């Protein structure tokens, strides 16, 4: 029949094509252009037409068209149907139901006979691209032949095809829906190792499964998998094999295959589920050849932005989704005519009711869009299912009246229905009425079930568990795949790093050329003698003055006394030894460059003779240098350091983390040497002293900062903290009161003051301070919330990590970022408990300061802000007291930020077991927090569990959001790659570290990786940059020595080796490698 022209009304339109009442309805136009190679299906076909169906309803037939000699038939037939988010043809229908095209052959008729037709072939068109942002697309759909009889099957590939276009006037999804929505695809492959009671003989059985997917509100969308095929012992299914559509009205078997979608399998060890260990391999192989149930079916579900967030939250809270399985009797048609009472009994025949707990936590890993694995089947027990998945009802029990159908009814077309009964076949109007009555009765029954006694519930569970227990005995497991169109947690998109290390090294001024040889060695000796002479003369002037006595020259006896006194002062102060050390290097250069002595003397006589000769020469050159000093100008100033303040701060923090406290102290002193009037430098040095538990020294630093600015709030607070630690309580009270007076709006100052008063058992003052701090915080956050919503909508919300207590901030008033508060803790790690008599009042403690904006954000409290400030200055004693109050301020379980801060304190004290306990709770609460995974990686690294540390670090850098301490994540991950000889990965990781925050250690890692990869030029560039940032790193000199050895640069190789040894190279393996290379090349070691 002809389809009415577009834009005209048609009263005969089928239900699937009828215009829904929703205003968001859109028309999807299907155009069948032509058929190709029809004669490959049947050689004598002459006249055909095409029927178009969607969602169980006919959209119309094309006109009769002659088949050309080349097998082509031009239909040019267009039709359409309307779809809307919640209408008869919803987005879920678009995702999982294709357009069905049936090519009908018009048979030649004899006189006075009606026209006869026969089905020639079927094709399907997937509409999924419409939900992926496309407005139109063209496909060449394979046309599969229909077998001559139902008992026969055609497995050959389709040789014919239909050219089809699909288009809409505008995209089905908005930009926000497209970017934030998702498409969930679930493929149930098979159930293996099924119970022995499953048999192919006897009454027809329908093997079914259903996965419940969380949706908006408390609803769940069930994805049904019906008509599983029971197969006996035999060869396993081939791989790859196509996935099948969940269609019931397809008569061409090939058309059930989803185009370009295959089950590919893979090694058991690479799967995400259970039974993926080496010891399970033999069991899996045997099970795949024994009795099994095959579905190979894929179901899809569109997740709008809200549903995608709900799914992510559900996974974080419950970790598992329930996949129910059961066997239902497929009654014959005659049995359907029984009485209502018998029908009610028949509806209840659900056997072998089991459930598999599908662990979908890997979908929360950054960038992960697909999981596949085996999952064991257990008996269905309501309490166990609710405990593990928070699912309160069984789909099969609620819908068993709909599911007890004949085999024929299960294969009838199924129009779209509401979500909870989406897979239930349609009924006649009379049956619909009966169904509604039953549904209302069932709802009343469900309401009454809530009031059943525990004994009744247990009895019902026991009835279903009798058959379900056989799953456990047989070891039944499901193999399935869950795939998302987009990852729930996006993965960081890394920009390509340049292969040339030189491009990443910042430009530096060229160092002055250094000439080598005897002449240069003598000149250096002269320069050193002159500088020492100037220093000794300065010492003389300090002792005896610069001018001579007015009555003339100094007599010999006075001169001798002054000489003895000067010698005594130089020796007693250690300056004589320092001068001698300064002169030593210049003498060594003369020995090497002028006398070419680099080896051990053969005899003692030769050694003594050489010393005599050298002594005479050095004394002569000393006189030459002293004579030149009389006519020379002052020495030029030392070159300005190229190291910036930010670099020195990074180097100091880096040295603190790797516990090289001597080097960290050096960098802090370097910062102070550059600017002694910088308050922050003194505060950082004092915090470093607190880390070393040098409280007195920290007090000096904080007091020095306070002397520079008596009104500096941080300095006052820190002076109060160290005074408290030194038990100078009167001084501490003055500092805290002064800070509160100077900055009345400071939440941190009020909170720390309250903690101090609590320590003094001054409960009234502590309570007043806490109350005032809470009022200030509420006022601050209320002011922030007064920003217009439009500004928030334009800028969008930024997700801030929960574990941010270690992130740098300029002052104590910077707000703590919010984190995630989900679930309840089973056991809270120990923390210092506050005094019970001065706890926060009930009305304040019960209600947090700020209500969270979403379900995953914890409240921001005054103690949270105090912890942030205290963690930065290493005031661990106060941190524990603040965390104890933080613990009491929560109505439910502690937040992820609480556990993360507590874990960091334990990590500083090297209490690794308690740290691990806290991080496990933090991971459970906020699975996608990069700071948690970074801290867990640090913990595993310190425990030398490098495999687990690598996984944690790789997950951390995969997040789109950086952790607070990415520098050390890169450093340690790079070192693990080097240890595992994955030098390419190590190079890329260290280059990322150099890009973010370059240091000697980051460039050293790049240099080592390039050297191991044989890229000697890049290795030398990287090591030279590392040496420019820190020329006292022995390992840098060691690798430079290796590069010079490979390059045949003898003098430089000797110098680099000399510095490596002088700086006490501790890497024994590297030292052995250098010695072996020196022996192989025949140079580089002066002692050889």
């Amino acid at each position: 029949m002809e389809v009415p022209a577009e834009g005209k009304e048609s009263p005969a339109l089928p239900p699937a094509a009828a215009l829904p009442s929703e205003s968001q309805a859109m028309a999807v136009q299907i155009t069948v252009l032509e058929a190709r190679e029809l004669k490959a299906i049947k050689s004598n076909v002459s006249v055909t037409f095409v029927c178009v169906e969607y969602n169980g309803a006919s959209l119309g037939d094309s006109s009769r068209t002659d088949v050309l000699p080349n097998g082509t038939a031009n239909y040019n037939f267009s039709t359409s149907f309307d779809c809307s988010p919640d209408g008869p043809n919803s987005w879920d229908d678009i995702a999982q139901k294709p357009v069905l095209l049936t090519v009908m052959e018009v048979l030649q008729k004899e006189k006075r006979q009606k026209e006869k037709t026969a089905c020639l072939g079927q094709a399907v068109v997937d509409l999924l691209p419409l939900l992926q942002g496309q407005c139109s697309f063209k496909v060449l759909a394979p046309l599969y032949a229909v077998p001559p009889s139902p008992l026969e099957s055609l497995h050959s590939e389709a040789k014919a095809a239909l050219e089809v276009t699909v288009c809409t006037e505008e995209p089905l999804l908005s930009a926000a829906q497209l970017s934030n929505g998702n498409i969930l695809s679930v493929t149930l492959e098979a159930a293996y190792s099924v119970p022995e009671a499953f048999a192919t003989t006897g009454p027809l059985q329908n093997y079914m499964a259903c996965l419940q997917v969380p949706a908006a509100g408390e609803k769940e969308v069930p994805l049904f998998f019906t008509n599983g095929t029971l197969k006996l012992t035999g060869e396993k299914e081939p791989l790859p094999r196509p996935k099948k559509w969940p269609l019931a009205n397809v008569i061409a078997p090939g058309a059930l295959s989803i185009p370009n979608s295959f089950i590919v399998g893979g090694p058991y060890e690479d799967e995400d589920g259970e039974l993926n260990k080496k010891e399970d391999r033999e069991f899996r192989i045997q099970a795949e050849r024994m009795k099994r149930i095959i579905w190979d079916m894929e179901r899809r579900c569109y997740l709008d932005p809200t549903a995608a967030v709900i799914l992510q939250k559900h996974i974080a809270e419950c970790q598992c989704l329930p996949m129910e399985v059961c066997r239902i009797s497929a009654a014959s048609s005659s049995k359907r005519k029984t009485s209502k009472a018998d029908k009610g009994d028949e509806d209840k025949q659900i056997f072998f009711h089991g459930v598999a707990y599908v662990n979908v936590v890997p979908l929360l890993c950054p960038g992960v869009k697909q999981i596949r694995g085996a999952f064991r089947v257990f008996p269905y027990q309501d309490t166990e299912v609710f405990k593990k998945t928070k699912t309160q009802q069984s789909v099969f029990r609620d819908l068993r009246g709909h599911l007890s159908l004949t085999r024929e009814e299960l294969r009838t077309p199924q129009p779209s229905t509401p979500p909870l009964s989406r897979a239930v076949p349609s009924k006649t109007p009379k049956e619909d009425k009966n169904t509604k009555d039953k549904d209302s009765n069932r709802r009343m029954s469900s309401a009454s079930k809530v009031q059943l006694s525990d004994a009744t519930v247990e009895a019902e569970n026991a009835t279903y568990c009798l058959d379900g227990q056989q799953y456990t005995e047989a070891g039944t497991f499901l193999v399935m795949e869950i795939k998302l169109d987009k990852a729930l947690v996006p993965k960081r998109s890394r920009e390509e790093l340049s292969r040339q290390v030189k491009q990443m090294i910042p430009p530096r001024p060229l160092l002055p050329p250094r000439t080598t040889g005897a002449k240069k060695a003598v000149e250096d000796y002269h320069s050193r003698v002159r500088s020492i002479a100037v220093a000794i003369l300065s010492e003389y002037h300090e002792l005896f003055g610069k001018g001579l006595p007015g009555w003339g020259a100094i007599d010999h006896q006075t001169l001798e006394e002054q000489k003895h006194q000067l010698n005594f002062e130089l020796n007693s102060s250690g300056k004589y030894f320092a001068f001698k050390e300064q002169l030593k290097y210049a003498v060594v250069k003369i020995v090497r460059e002028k006398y070419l002595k680099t080896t051990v003397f053969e005899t003692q006589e030769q050694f003594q003779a050489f010393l005599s000769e050298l002594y005479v020469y050095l004394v002569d050159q000393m006189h030459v240098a002293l004579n030149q000093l009389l006519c020379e100008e002052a020495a030029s100033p030392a070159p300005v350091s190229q190291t910036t303040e930010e670099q020195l701060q990074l180097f100091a923090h880096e040295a603190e983390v790797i516990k090289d406290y001597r080097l960290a102290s050096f960098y802090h002193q370097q910062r102070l040497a550059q600017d002694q009037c910088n308050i922050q430098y003194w505060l950082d040095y004092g915090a470093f002293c607190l880390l070393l538990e040098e409280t007195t020294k920290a007090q000096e630093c904080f007091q020095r900062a306070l002397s520079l600015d008596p009104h500096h709030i941080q300095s006052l607070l820190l002076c109060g903290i160290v005074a408290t630690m030194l038990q100078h309580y009167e001084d501490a009270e003055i500092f805290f009161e002064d800070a509160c007076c100077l900055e009345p709006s400071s939440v941190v100052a009020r909170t720390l003051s309250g903690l101090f008063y609590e320590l003094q058992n001054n409960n009234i003052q502590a309570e007043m301070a806490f109350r005032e701090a809470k009022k200030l915080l509420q006022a601050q956050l209320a002011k922030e919330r007064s920003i217009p919503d439009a500004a928030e909508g334009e800028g969008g919300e930024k997700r801030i990590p929960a574990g941010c207590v270690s992130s740098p901030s300029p002052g104590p008033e910077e707000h703590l970022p919010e984190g995630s508060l989900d679930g309840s803790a089973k056991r809270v790690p120990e923390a210092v408990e506050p005094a019970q008599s001065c706890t926060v009042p009930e009305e304040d403690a019960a209600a947090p300061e700020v209500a969270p904006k979403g379900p995953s954000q914890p409240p921001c409290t005054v103690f949270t802000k105090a912890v942030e400030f205290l963690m930065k200055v290493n005031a661990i004693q106060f941190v524990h007291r603040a965390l104890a109050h933080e613990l009491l301020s929560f109505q439910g379980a502690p937040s992820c930020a609480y556990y993360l801060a507590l874990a960091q304190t334990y990590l500083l004290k090297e209490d690794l077991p308690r740290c691990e306990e806290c991080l496990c709770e933090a991971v459970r609460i906020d699975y996608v927090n990069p700071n948690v995974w970074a801290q867990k990686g640090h913990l595993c690294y310190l425990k030398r569990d490098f495999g687990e540390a690598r996984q944690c670090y790789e997950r951390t850098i995969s997040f789109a959001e950086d952790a607070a301490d990415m520098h050390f994540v890169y450093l340690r991950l790079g070192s693990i790659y080097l240890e595992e000889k994955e030098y390419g990965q190590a190079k890329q990781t260290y280059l990322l570290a150099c890009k973010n925050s370059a240091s000697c250690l980051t460039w050293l890692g790049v240099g080592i990786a390039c050297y191991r990869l044989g890229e000697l030029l890049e290795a030398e560039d990287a090591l030279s940059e590392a040496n420019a940032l820190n020329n006292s790193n022995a390992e840098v000199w060691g690798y430079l020595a290796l590069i010079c050895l490979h390059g045949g640069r003898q003098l430089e190789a000797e110098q680099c080796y000399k510095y490596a040894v002088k700086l006490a190279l501790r890497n024994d393996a590297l030292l052995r490698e250098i010695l072996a290379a020196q022996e192989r090349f025949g140079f580089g070691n002066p002692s050889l």
Side-chain angles (χ1 to χ4, degrees):
M1 71 181 204
E2 295 291 343
V3 175
E6 285 191 49
K8 296 181 180 180
E9 294 185 358
S10 174
L13 281 176
L19 183 64
S21 60
E22 289 83 349
S23 60
Q24 298 180 355
M26 300 183 188
V28 179
Q29 181 173 333
I30 313 294
T31 302
V32 184
L33 299 176
E34 64 177 14
R36 301 179 185 177
E37 303 293 340
L38 287 179
K39 293 187 179 294
I41 298 178
K42 187 176 181 181
S43 59
N44 60 347
V45 63
S46 58
V47 180
T48 61
F49 65 95
V50 63
C51 304
V52 183
E53 299 176 46
Y54 183 71
N55 201 8
S58 173
L59 301 183
D61 302 342
S62 70
S63 60
R64 274 57 174 168
T65 304
D66 294 332
V67 179
L68 301 178
N70 61 356
T72 302
N74 296 316
Y75 299 117
N76 292 324
F77 170 68
S78 296
T79 184
S80 64
F81 66 90
D82 290 306
C83 64
S84 61
D86 302 316
N89 300 313
S90 64
W91 296 162
D92 281 348
D93 296 325
I94 298 293
Q96 68 178 347
K97 295 180 181 179
V99 175
L100 180 62
L101 308 173
T102 305
V103 176
M104 304 294 294
E105 179 189 8
V106 180
L107 302 178
Q108 294 181 355
K109 65 178 180 178
E110 298 179 2
K111 294 180 179 180
R112 298 181 180 178
Q113 287 186 348
K114 294 183 179 180
E115 183 181 70
K116 294 184 178 181
T117 60
C119 185
L120 188 65
Q122 286 185 318
V124 292
V125 177
D126 193 356
L127 300 181
L128 187 63
L130 295 179
L131 295 179
Q132 295 173 332
Q134 297 188 33
C135 292
S136 64
F137 60 92
K138 180 187 289 187
V139 295
L140 194 63
L143 183 65
Y144 295 91
V146 176
S149 68
L151 299 178
E152 299 181 23
S153 61
L154 297 176
H155 298 287
S156 58
E157 296 182 359
K159 297 181 180 179
L162 291 176
E163 185 176 351
V164 184
T165 61
V166 180
C167 63
T168 58
E169 292 184 358
E170 57 185 21
L172 295 185
L173 303 179
S174 65
Q177 289 175 320
L178 191 62
S179 61
N180 300 323
N182 216 325
I183 298 174
L184 175 69
S185 303
V186 181
T187 302
L188 179 59
E189 299 178 16
Y192 295 102
S193 188
V194 297
E196 289 296 328
F198 288 5
T200 56
T201 60
L204 293 177
Q205 304 290 341
N206 184 14
Y207 298 98
M208 304 182 66
C210 178
L211 180 71
Q212 298 190 54
V213 180
E218 297 181 356
K219 295 181 180 179
E220 292 179 332
V221 177
L223 301 180
F224 285 98
F225 300 85
T226 60
N227 300 328
T229 304
L230 179 64
K231 290 191 176 182
L232 299 179
T233 304
E235 291 298 322
K236 61 181 292 188
E237 280 63 39
L239 291 173
R241 61 183 186 273
K243 299 178 181 179
K244 298 178 182 178
W245 291 107
L247 299 178
N249 53 343
V250 175
I251 56 178
L256 281 173
S257 301
I258 302 177
N260 303 319
S261 185
F262 299 93
I263 298 171
V264 296
Y268 303 133
E269 294 79 7
D270 295 342
E271 293 179 352
D272 300 292
E274 307 167 44
L275 299 173
N276 53 4
K277 304 294 189 296
K278 291 183 179 179
E279 54 267 23
D280 302 320
R281 181 179 180 82
E282 189 63 30
F283 170 68
R284 293 282 299 272
I285 293 175
Q286 292 179 1
E288 290 175 354
R289 289 174 170 80
M290 303 300 289
K291 189 187 300 183
R292 58 202 181 274
I293 302 172
I294 304 299
W295 282 277
D296 289 346
M297 184 183 296
E298 179 180 271
R299 302 285 300 212
R300 299 171 182 165
C301 175
Y302 170 71
L303 302 175
D304 59 27
T306 303
V309 173
I310 291 174
L311 176 61
Q312 181 175 347
K313 179 186 175 184
H314 179 86
I315 295 175
E317 290 179 350
C318 304
Q319 301 185 353
C320 292
L321 295 178
M323 171 68 91
E324 294 185 53
V325 292
C326 72
R327 189 182 77 177
I328 299 178
S329 299
S332 63
S333 299
S334 60
K335 293 183 179 180
R336 296 290 291 170
K337 299 179 182 179
T338 57
S339 65
K340 294 183 178 180
D342 295 337
K343 183 178 179 182
D345 294 337
E346 184 180 311
D347 285 345
K348 297 178 182 179
Q349 299 303 310
I350 297 177
F351 301 101
F352 298 96
H353 193 189
V355 61
Y357 301 105
V358 183
N359 186 357
V360 286
V361 170
L363 291 177
L364 294 185
C365 297
V368 174
K369 299 187 291 186
Q370 176 180 348
I371 61 173
R372 179 183 179 274
F375 302 91
R376 296 183 185 273
V377 180
F378 301 93
Y380 191 97
Q381 298 180 2
D382 290 330
T383 56
E384 192 69 17
V385 172
F386 179 76
K387 178 181 178 182
K388 292 186 177 181
T389 67
K390 299 297 186 291
T391 300
Q392 300 182 357
Q393 57 190 4
S394 166
V395 174
F396 289 140
R397 291 182 193 169
D398 290 344
L399 302 180
R400 56 190 170 191
H402 298 280
L403 299 176
S404 182
L405 303 174
T406 63
R407 176 74 65 168
E408 292 78 10
E409 285 175 316
L410 285 168
R411 293 189 176 277
T412 56
Q414 302 175 9
S416 183
T417 54
L420 202 56
S421 57
R422 192 168 289 154
V424 179
S426 61
K427 295 181 178 290
T428 62
K430 184 176 181 180
E431 289 176 324
D432 278 340
K433 182 178 180 181
N434 294 335
T435 302
K436 292 178 180 178
D437 294 339
K438 289 183 178 180
D439 288 341
S440 62
N441 294 334
R442 186 179 298 109
R443 284 193 294 269
M444 294 174 61
S445 176
S446 299
S448 63
K449 282 182 181 178
V450 178
Q451 302 176 359
L452 289 176
S453 64
D454 293 340
T456 306
V457 175
E458 291 176 3
E460 185 178 0
N461 287 338
T463 303
Y464 288 105
C465 287
L466 292 177
D467 290 337
Q469 188 62 34
Q470 296 189 37
Y471 288 125
T472 305
E473 297 171 357
T476 306
F477 62 92
L478 302 178
V479 176
M480 58 184 297
E481 174 191 81
I482 298 178
K483 183 171 63 176
L484 292 162
D485 194 48
K486 297 187 289 288
L488 291 176
V489 181
K491 187 175 183 178
R492 178 191 305 272
S493 57
R494 296 287 183 187
E495 60 180 346
E496 291 295 327
L497 292 172
S498 173
R499 293 182 177 273
Q500 296 295 326
V501 178
K502 268 188 176 179
Q503 298 178 7
M504 296 191 63
I505 299 177
R508 293 182 177 276
L510 295 177
L511 296 174
R514 296 185 177 181
T515 58
T516 57
K519 182 178 179 181
K520 176 61 177 174
V522 173
E523 290 176 354
D524 290 345
Y525 176 72
H526 288 170
S527 176
R528 186 60 61 189
V529 168
R530 290 194 295 269
S531 64
I532 293 175
V534 171
I536 293 176
L537 186 59
S538 299
E539 291 292 328
Y540 179 84
H541 289 161
E542 288 182 5
L543 289 175
F544 310 110
K546 291 186 177 181
L548 293 175
W551 53 84
I554 303 176
D555 58 71
H556 180 71
Q557 183 178 358
T558 303
L559 193 60
E560 285 295 324
E561 290 177 358
Q562 291 180 351
K563 178 181 177 182
H564 287 297
Q565 186 177 354
L566 178 61
N567 287 334
F568 174 78
E569 291 294 333
L570 292 177
N571 280 285
S572 60
S573 63
K575 294 180 180 179
Y576 176 79
F577 177 78
F579 294 150
K580 186 174 67 173
E581 288 297 315
Q582 293 178 23
L583 199 59
K584 182 186 297 185
Y585 179 66
V587 174
V588 171
K589 287 181 65 177
I590 289 179
V591 172
R592 289 183 175 178
E593 302 296 338
K594 183 171 181 62
Y595 291 94
L596 303 178
K597 297 293 185 181
T598 57
T599 59
V600 180
F601 291 93
E602 297 179 358
T603 62
Q604 188 67 20
E605 289 76 10
Q606 291 180 351
F607 180 59
Q608 291 297 332
F610 173 73
L611 287 180
S612 300
E613 182 182 358
L614 178 63
Y615 178 77
V616 173
Y617 180 79
L618 292 177
V619 171
D620 291 342
Q621 294 302 318
M622 179 188 67
H623 292 151
V624 173
L626 292 176
N627 291 332
Q628 292 175 352
L629 178 62
L630 300 176
C631 58
E632 278 191 356
E633 298 180 357
S636 58
V640 180
S641 173
Q642 299 294 326
T643 308
T644 64
E645 185 275 330
E646 292 80 5
Q647 287 178 317
L648 288 175
Q649 184 180 12
L650 172 65
F651 299 164
H653 184 47
E654 189 179 66
E656 292 175 15
V657 173
I658 64 176
K659 299 188 184 305
D660 190 348
Y661 298 129
R662 182 194 61 80
L663 185 61
S665 178
F666 169 77
Y667 284 127
H668 280 296
Q669 292 172 7
Q670 284 286 98
R671 296 177 72 196
L672 291 172
Q674 289 186 2
D675 185 4
Q676 292 193 4
C677 296
N678 191 304
I679 296 177
Q680 192 60 46
Y681 294 177
W682 286 107
L683 296 183
D684 291 342
Y685 192 26
F688 169 69
C689 295
L690 282 182
L691 178 65
L692 301 183
E693 297 183 354
E694 298 178 358
T695 312
T696 304
K697 194 171 183 180
Q699 184 184 37
E700 295 175 1
C701 296
F702 297 147
Q703 289 178 350
R704 182 67 179 271
L706 189 59
S707 67
L708 295 174
D709 183 3
H711 298 153
H712 193 254
I713 303 301
Q714 289 189 46
S715 301
L716 285 168
L717 294 176
L718 291 172
C719 285
I721 289 173
V722 294
T724 304
M725 297 171 67
L726 293 173
Q727 299 182 2
H728 301 163
Y729 298 121
E730 294 182 359
D731 295 342
E733 185 175 3
I734 293 173
F735 286 128
F736 285 127
E737 287 183 357
D738 198 9
C740 294
C741 292
L742 288 173
E743 191 66 41
S745 61
S746 173
V747 175
V748 173
R750 297 285 183 182
T751 307
L752 294 183
S753 178
L755 293 175
F756 166 74
Y757 286 126
E758 178 190 75
L759 189 65
Q760 295 296 300
N761 294 324
N762 191 340
N763 303 325
I764 297 177
Q765 288 280 57
E767 182 180 333
M768 291 176 58
F770 291 145
R771 191 185 298 274
E772 185 65 25
K774 289 174 182 291
K775 291 180 180 179
L776 291 172
L777 181 60
Q778 288 174 352
Q780 289 179 8
L781 295 175
K783 184 178 180 180
E784 291 179 3
R785 287 196 300 270
S786 64
I787 299 175
D789 294 337
E792 182 179 349
E794 293 174 4
E797 292 188 9
K798 293 185 179 179
R799 186 180 181 278
I800 307 177
C804 59
V805 291
S806 63
S807 59
S809 64
E813 296 307 309
E814 184 175 325
H815 293 299
L816 249 192
E818 297 177 346
S820 173
L821 178 57
D822 294 323
S824 59
K826 296 180 180 177
R827 184 164 77 91
V828 179
E830 297 178 3
V832 178
E833 291 294 335
Q836 295 299 321
S837 56
C838 66
T839 53
V840 181
E842 234 177 70
E843 62 272 12
D844 290 337
E849 282 76 359
V850 182
K853 291 183 180 179
S856 62
Q857 295 179 343
C860 178
T861 67
V862 295
F863 305 106
T864 307
K865 297 175 69 65
V867 167
E868 177 191 8
F869 173 71
L870 294 169
M871 285 297 298
K872 289 183 296 183
V873 297
N874 301 314
I876 305 302
Q877 177 183 349
F878 273 77
V879 168
H880 279 283
R881 302 198 67 86
L883 286 177
H885 278 282
E886 177 78 359
L887 181 61
L888 294 177
S889 66
F890 289 113
Q891 294 179 346
S895 68
C896 176
Y898 167 82
Y899 283 114
L900 192 57
L902 194 58
Q904 288 176 329
T905 62
Y906 289 139
L907 200 61
L908 287 176
K909 293 183 176 181
E910 299 184 359
D911 190 349
L912 302 187
R914 286 188 174 183
C915 178
E916 184 175 11
E917 183 181 332
C918 294
L919 289 177
C920 288
E921 289 297 323
V923 169
R924 183 186 58 79
I925 295 172
D926 192 354
Y927 196 83
V928 294
N929 190 327
N931 290 288
V932 176
W933 289 105
Q935 290 299 322
K936 189 174 181 182
H938 296 331
L939 172 67
C940 296
Y941 188 89
L942 295 178
K943 292 170 59 178
R944 305 194 66 80
D945 185 359
F946 296 128
E948 184 68 22
R950 171 177 174 171
Q951 294 180 8
C952 295
Y953 287 145
E954 288 176 341
R955 177 170 297 188
T956 302
I957 66 176
S958 297
F959 285 105
E961 176 188 5
D962 279 338
D965 55 349
M966 290 300 294
H967 182 78
F968 301 102
V969 171
Y970 289 135
L971 276 181
R972 288 174 170 172
L973 180 59
S975 68
I976 293 173
Y977 285 142
L978 289 179
E979 189 70 22
E980 296 178 356
K981 299 184 179 179
E982 297 184 17
Y983 302 122
Q985 289 273 37
K987 177 182 176 182
Q988 294 302 316
T989 303
Y990 279 119
L991 283 175
L992 286 173
C994 294
K995 180 180 177 62
N996 288 351
S997 50
S999 69
C1000 172
L1001 296 183
T1002 61
W1003 284 113
L1004 172 61
V1006 175
I1008 296 174
C1010 292
Y1011 174 76
R1012 299 303 179 191
L1013 291 170
E1015 303 169 357
L1016 298 185
L1017 291 178
E1018 290 191 354
E1020 185 173 2
D1021 291 336
L1023 292 170
S1024 299
E1025 179 66 13
N1027 186 263
L1029 295 174
N1030 180 11
N1031 61 0
S1032 62
N1033 189 299
E1035 201 163 343
V1036 173
W1037 287 109
Y1039 278 100
L1040 283 172
L1042 284 174
I1043 291 175
C1044 294
L1045 286 170
H1046 283 280
R1049 292 139 62 182
Q1050 180 175 352
L1051 183 59
E1052 294 174 70
E1054 289 183 0
Q1055 290 177 339
C1056 293
Y1057 172 70
K1058 174 190 67 178
Y1059 284 119
V1061 174
K1062 181 178 180 180
L1063 294 170
L1065 179 62
R1066 299 186 184 92
N1067 190 334
D1068 296 334
L1070 176 59
L1071 188 58
R1072 288 193 299 269
E1073 185 178 359
I1074 295 173
L1075 295 175
Q1078 290 171 344
E1079 186 175 354
R1080 185 169 67 253
F1081 289 109
F1083 63 88
N1085 190 348
S1087 62
L1088 294 178

